[in-house]
Amino acid sequence: MGAWGTGIFDDDTTCDVKDGFIDYIEEGLSSKKAATIILDEYLEEFHPEEDFEVMSLVHIGLAAVQLENNCLVEDVRHLAIQSIDRGADLELWEEADEADYLARKKELEELKQKLLEVG
């Protein structure tokens, strides 16, 4: 799992989530069904508590792509807000320089605000 920037889609996991979601939508699945499939795929490999950072990225990526496509599912919105409130992937950013950490934190807070506004 690699990250190359502080943006929401600047890492492998959220990019994979975004691409998978768009593929499922293009196949004709509903936003809710596409999200369920993606969550199930990740839950087969990762445990929500033990792999909190990875699952946070999945929740955040799903919410962000759904928000971009005006098809946000309430359960996904809730999971993303919950992940951001719990610190999401910020622990991984503690080893980065302070500017990157603060930039990532700002990205997450901005996404959270957008998610709260549509709720």
Side-chain angles (χ1 to χ4, degrees), residues 7 9 23 25 37 42 57-58 65 71 86 90-91 95 97 108 113-114 117:
F9 295 109
D23 287 346
I25 294 299
I37 292 170
Y42 279 90
L57 289 171
V58 173
V65 71
C71 59
R86 288 187 61 199
L90 286 176
E91 186 175 306
E95 296 178 16
D97 65 34
L108 293 170
Q113 188 58 41
K114 290 176 187 175
E117 288 171 4

Side-chain angles (χ1 to χ4, degrees), residues 74-114:
E74 180 59 27
D75 292 346
V76 172
R77 184 183 82 85
H78 178 73
L79 287 169
I81 291 170
Q82 193 174 43
S83 292
I84 293 168
D85 285 346
R86 288 187 61 199
D89 66 332
L90 286 176
E91 186 175 306
L92 300 173
W93 287 91
E94 289 176 354
E95 296 178 16
D97 65 34
E98 186 176 2
D100 286 343
Y101 177 87
L102 293 174
R104 179 61 178 180
K105 187 174 182 176
K106 182 180 177 193
E107 286 284 327
L108 293 170
E109 286 301 320
E110 287 174 358
L111 175 61
K112 178 183 171 184
Q113 188 58 41
K114 290 176 187 175

